[in-house]
Amino acid sequence: MDLSRRRVLQSALTLAAVQMFPGISQAQARRLVFATFTGSWEEAHKAVLVPAFRKANNNAEITLDPMLSVDQIAKVTAARNNPPIDVMLHDPGPALTAVAQDLVEPYPVAKSKHFKDLIPEAQEVNGPAIFFQVVGLTYNPETVKKPPTSWHDLWKPEFKGRVGITNMNSTLGTGFMVELAKMKGGSESNIEPAFKAIQELKPNLAAVAANPGQLASLFQQGQIDISPGNFNAIQILKAQGVPVEWVAPKEGAIAFKTTIHIVKNSPNRELAVALIEAAMSPEVQSKLMQSPYLVVPTNTKVKMEGEIAKALAKDHAEMKKKFLFQDWKKINEQRSAWIERFNKEIKI
């Protein structure tokens, strides 16, 4: 095919894509790419968020690319001028990193329908928070007859070779290590006590998972009986018939918000905004709050109810009082070094 015919064909394909998705520019002709999290988050977004987004946007094509936040940041950093991702999802630490590295652009708050309805803590200009995550103790009630009540229970002799944790690449893993350090005299700036405690936990460790999704799979496969775990991920496992329960330890469950961001230089900015609007909407957040997803909402128009109200908090005010929120600005100062050390020292 000669150059002139190739250009004609490319122009025709681009025009066809623009005609299929009214309102987007030629630069936006490729499908939207949303980097969600692995495991239950991908499931929930595929089932609820994607259909809502497509319905409101002329069936615009979207690809979910599940990965950890650290991998999202690495992928976008490697191609800043032509990023392969349009929308990123981040927990507090990676969100701070993405903003500091100029990888995301401010959200168009003035034009947003739903931003003003989010709780104040969720109204982040560089990327609104669309849900909370809560980390407590997960266990198999068929093998663990007495429900755990404390993080310290992970070290009990009866759990030898039956404990699972995630590495520190995940927010779950880092958050657990920080809380463990604080329990033993450390802080967000000093988790040396946590590294010592994890060494002492080694006889009980059956696996160190790469991410929360992999940790959930270990329960399905019967390889572990107890672990730190995300509340909503466990609810999805329960709905699938996996024998698993979740409990807040007496020291307090860990909570953190998760934000969604427009990637700087995205060729799909309009659709990226449309996806985030859908994620903030009370319709989507209400559905995600229901079984089996049980995602904690941030939109004030969504009343906490059902299992979330029963097991976690009846409203956002109670949640802020009840759970442990960590200082991720301090954590980020040393997190990279901690991750490297953890991966070298904590092996099964």
Side-chain angles (χ1 to χ4, degrees), residues 161-166 204-209 214-215 218 223-224 348:
R162 303 304 299 168
V163 174
I165 60 173
T166 58
N204 283 14
L205 285 180
V208 179
Q214 189 181 96
L215 190 68
L218 294 174
Q223 294 186 40
I224 60 175
I348 304 300

mmCIF file of all heavy atoms in Angstrom, residues 161-166 204-209 214-215 218 223-224 348:
data_model
loop_
_atom_site.group_PDB
_atom_site.id
_atom_site.type_symbol
_atom_site.label_atom_id
_atom_site.label_comp_id
_atom_site.label_asym_id
_atom_site.label_seq_id
_atom_site.Cartn_x
_atom_site.Cartn_y
_atom_site.Cartn_z
ATOM 1 N N GLY A 161 2.350 -22.047 59.841
ATOM 2 C CA GLY A 161 2.234 -22.393 58.433
ATOM 3 C C GLY A 161 0.881 -22.095 57.814
ATOM 4 O O GLY A 161 0.586 -22.577 56.715
ATOM 5 N N ARG A 162 0.057 -21.230 58.452
ATOM 6 C CA ARG A 162 -1.299 -20.963 57.936
ATOM 7 C C ARG A 162 -1.606 -19.474 57.787
ATOM 8 O O ARG A 162 -2.732 -19.103 57.486
ATOM 9 C CB ARG A 162 -2.353 -21.599 58.866
ATOM 10 C CG ARG A 162 -2.215 -23.083 59.073
ATOM 11 C CD ARG A 162 -2.228 -23.861 57.768
ATOM 12 N NE ARG A 162 -3.477 -23.677 57.026
ATOM 13 C CZ ARG A 162 -3.648 -24.046 55.776
ATOM 14 N NH1 ARG A 162 -2.651 -24.590 55.091
ATOM 15 N NH2 ARG A 162 -4.816 -23.864 55.163
ATOM 16 N N VAL A 163 -0.619 -18.610 57.969
ATOM 17 C CA VAL A 163 -0.831 -17.161 57.890
ATOM 18 C C VAL A 163 -0.402 -16.635 56.522
ATOM 19 O O VAL A 163 0.624 -17.046 55.978
ATOM 20 C CB VAL A 163 -0.039 -16.423 58.999
ATOM 21 C CG1 VAL A 163 -0.143 -14.906 58.825
ATOM 22 C CG2 VAL A 163 -0.545 -16.830 60.377
ATOM 23 N N GLY A 164 -1.198 -15.716 55.992
ATOM 24 C CA GLY A 164 -0.836 -15.068 54.747
ATOM 25 C C GLY A 164 -0.723 -13.564 54.939
ATOM 26 O O GLY A 164 -1.456 -12.987 55.740
ATOM 27 N N ILE A 165 0.195 -12.925 54.227
ATOM 28 C CA ILE A 165 0.320 -11.471 54.226
ATOM 29 C C ILE A 165 0.624 -11.040 52.786
ATOM 30 O O ILE A 165 0.889 -11.881 51.932
ATOM 31 C CB ILE A 165 1.424 -10.946 55.176
ATOM 32 C CG1 ILE A 165 2.795 -11.510 54.776
ATOM 33 C CG2 ILE A 165 1.108 -11.277 56.625
ATOM 34 C CD1 ILE A 165 3.964 -10.913 55.566
ATOM 35 N N THR A 166 0.578 -9.745 52.516
ATOM 36 C CA THR A 166 1.015 -9.245 51.214
ATOM 37 C C THR A 166 2.341 -8.513 51.387
ATOM 38 O O THR A 166 2.676 -8.070 52.495
ATOM 39 C CB THR A 166 -0.003 -8.263 50.598
ATOM 40 O OG1 THR A 166 -0.194 -7.176 51.494
ATOM 41 C CG2 THR A 166 -1.335 -8.945 50.337
ATOM 42 N N ASN A 204 4.964 -19.015 61.127
ATOM 43 C CA ASN A 204 3.531 -19.091 60.856
ATOM 44 C C ASN A 204 3.168 -18.762 59.410
ATOM 45 O O ASN A 204 2.057 -19.056 58.960
ATOM 46 C CB ASN A 204 2.760 -18.141 61.787
ATOM 47 C CG ASN A 204 2.614 -18.689 63.192
ATOM 48 O OD1 ASN A 204 3.291 -19.647 63.565
ATOM 49 N ND2 ASN A 204 1.743 -18.097 63.986
ATOM 50 N N LEU A 205 4.097 -18.134 58.679
ATOM 51 C CA LEU A 205 3.792 -17.685 57.320
ATOM 52 C C LEU A 205 3.704 -18.846 56.331
ATOM 53 O O LEU A 205 4.616 -19.658 56.226
ATOM 54 C CB LEU A 205 4.842 -16.696 56.837
ATOM 55 C CG LEU A 205 4.791 -15.274 57.407
ATOM 56 C CD1 LEU A 205 5.909 -14.424 56.812
ATOM 57 C CD2 LEU A 205 3.436 -14.629 57.120
ATOM 58 N N ALA A 206 2.579 -18.868 55.612
ATOM 59 C CA ALA A 206 2.413 -19.845 54.537
ATOM 60 C C ALA A 206 2.708 -19.202 53.190
ATOM 61 O O ALA A 206 3.145 -19.874 52.257
ATOM 62 C CB ALA A 206 0.988 -20.389 54.529
ATOM 63 N N ALA A 207 2.474 -17.876 53.106
ATOM 64 C CA ALA A 207 2.673 -17.193 51.824
ATOM 65 C C ALA A 207 2.786 -15.690 52.016
ATOM 66 O O ALA A 207 2.189 -15.121 52.931
ATOM 67 C CB ALA A 207 1.513 -17.501 50.883
ATOM 68 N N VAL A 208 3.573 -15.068 51.137
ATOM 69 C CA VAL A 208 3.628 -13.612 51.024
ATOM 70 C C VAL A 208 3.105 -13.285 49.629
ATOM 71 O O VAL A 208 3.790 -13.502 48.624
ATOM 72 C CB VAL A 208 5.058 -13.068 51.202
ATOM 73 C CG1 VAL A 208 5.065 -11.553 51.040
ATOM 74 C CG2 VAL A 208 5.610 -13.457 52.579
ATOM 75 N N ALA A 209 1.864 -12.798 49.556
ATOM 76 C CA ALA A 209 1.212 -12.554 48.276
ATOM 77 C C ALA A 209 1.720 -11.269 47.632
ATOM 78 O O ALA A 209 2.114 -10.323 48.321
ATOM 79 C CB ALA A 209 -0.298 -12.481 48.461
ATOM 80 N N GLN A 214 -4.241 -11.771 44.965
ATOM 81 C CA GLN A 214 -3.564 -13.052 45.115
ATOM 82 C C GLN A 214 -3.793 -13.610 46.520
ATOM 83 O O GLN A 214 -3.946 -14.822 46.705
ATOM 84 C CB GLN A 214 -2.067 -12.899 44.846
ATOM 85 C CG GLN A 214 -1.307 -14.207 44.766
ATOM 86 C CD GLN A 214 0.178 -14.012 44.514
ATOM 87 O OE1 GLN A 214 0.986 -14.003 45.448
ATOM 88 N NE2 GLN A 214 0.537 -13.828 43.253
ATOM 89 N N LEU A 215 -3.834 -12.721 47.508
ATOM 90 C CA LEU A 215 -4.089 -13.143 48.888
ATOM 91 C C LEU A 215 -5.468 -13.789 48.994
ATOM 92 O O LEU A 215 -5.637 -14.826 49.639
ATOM 93 C CB LEU A 215 -4.003 -11.933 49.828
ATOM 94 C CG LEU A 215 -4.009 -12.228 51.337
ATOM 95 C CD1 LEU A 215 -2.729 -12.944 51.755
ATOM 96 C CD2 LEU A 215 -4.147 -10.934 52.124
ATOM 97 N N LEU A 218 -5.557 -17.316 47.797
ATOM 98 C CA LEU A 218 -4.982 -18.288 48.728
ATOM 99 C C LEU A 218 -6.043 -18.852 49.669
ATOM 100 O O LEU A 218 -5.977 -20.019 50.062
ATOM 101 C CB LEU A 218 -3.843 -17.644 49.528
ATOM 102 C CG LEU A 218 -2.607 -17.230 48.727
ATOM 103 C CD1 LEU A 218 -1.620 -16.467 49.603
ATOM 104 C CD2 LEU A 218 -1.938 -18.447 48.104
ATOM 105 N N GLN A 223 -4.973 -22.502 51.133
ATOM 106 C CA GLN A 223 -3.561 -22.483 51.516
ATOM 107 C C GLN A 223 -3.288 -21.681 52.782
ATOM 108 O O GLN A 223 -2.237 -21.826 53.395
ATOM 109 C CB GLN A 223 -2.730 -21.918 50.359
ATOM 110 C CG GLN A 223 -2.735 -22.800 49.126
ATOM 111 C CD GLN A 223 -1.778 -22.287 48.055
ATOM 112 O OE1 GLN A 223 -0.672 -21.835 48.352
ATOM 113 N NE2 GLN A 223 -2.202 -22.341 46.806
ATOM 114 N N ILE A 224 -4.221 -20.787 53.148
ATOM 115 C CA ILE A 224 -4.065 -20.007 54.378
ATOM 116 C C ILE A 224 -5.388 -20.006 55.144
ATOM 117 O O ILE A 224 -6.456 -20.225 54.570
ATOM 118 C CB ILE A 224 -3.620 -18.556 54.095
ATOM 119 C CG1 ILE A 224 -4.648 -17.826 53.206
ATOM 120 C CG2 ILE A 224 -2.235 -18.527 53.459
ATOM 121 C CD1 ILE A 224 -4.329 -16.347 52.995
ATOM 122 N N ILE A 348 9.542 -16.820 51.852
ATOM 123 C CA ILE A 348 9.077 -18.082 52.410
ATOM 124 C C ILE A 348 9.867 -19.242 51.798
ATOM 125 O O ILE A 348 10.038 -19.302 50.591
ATOM 126 C CB ILE A 348 7.565 -18.297 52.122
ATOM 127 C CG1 ILE A 348 6.772 -17.109 52.663
ATOM 128 C CG2 ILE A 348 7.084 -19.600 52.742
ATOM 129 C CD1 ILE A 348 6.916 -16.899 54.139
#
